Amino acid sequence: MGIALKKERRYNEAKACFERILEMQIHPTKPKFVSVVMQELSQIFQSTGDYSTAWDYLDKALEVKPGLFLIYHNRLCLASIEHDEAKLFSVFMEMEEQLPDWYKNEHLTKLLKTDGELEYLRNSIPFLWNKINKEVRQ
């Protein structure tokens, strides 16, 4: 339900759905599920311009389930949307450290090349973007 509401840009209702899931702790033994819910909440806050809270949810998602490549993708997107070069470099270094084989994940590499939210990264930070492309081609 929360995803459908988010797509309809009914952010307050979507947020309430996802927060309720976390409150209910229906899946405390499923950290990937909890992490995904936190990423959804992050995207809602990102969509409403509350980047600080969006970062908080992505940080919590990493704590709950480290190593999920989509968390790093979402972190790169948020830093790119903010036009924050320092955060982009920091997130990329974290990703390389935590996921040394990230470039082998075809889904992630496709997202890096096509996601509109990463336009700033691709167009404005050539050093980092060239490094990413080099890794992908290995």
Side-chain angles (χ1 to χ4, degrees), residues 4-40:
L5 291 166
K6 185 179 85 168
K7 286 184 180 191
E8 291 179 6
R9 297 180 183 202
R10 293 166 57 184
Y11 297 125
N12 287 335
E13 294 168 88
K15 183 178 81 141
C17 285
F18 289 120
E19 287 174 341
R20 182 69 179 129
I21 291 169
L22 293 178
E23 288 171 9
M24 292 171 52
Q25 296 185 9
I26 294 171
H27 302 284
T29 60
K30 296 184 179 182
K32 183 176 180 180
F33 177 81
V34 173
S35 177
V36 168
V37 170
M38 290 180 175
Q39 289 177 73
E40 292 290 342

Side-chain angles (χ1 to χ4, degrees), residues 42-66:
S42 173
Q43 290 173 1
I44 290 168
F45 283 100
Q46 173 187 318
S47 296
T48 62
D50 185 348
Y51 300 139
S52 178
T53 304
W55 278 109
D56 289 344
Y57 274 106
L58 288 178
D59 291 343
K60 290 175 187 174
L62 265 181
E63 288 174 19
V64 170
K65 184 67 175 158

Side-chain angles (χ1 to χ4, degrees), residues 6 41 48 54 72 84 87 106 112:
K6 185 179 85 168
L41 282 162
T48 62
Y72 290 99
D84 191 325
K87 280 184 184 174
E106 290 180 31
L112 290 172

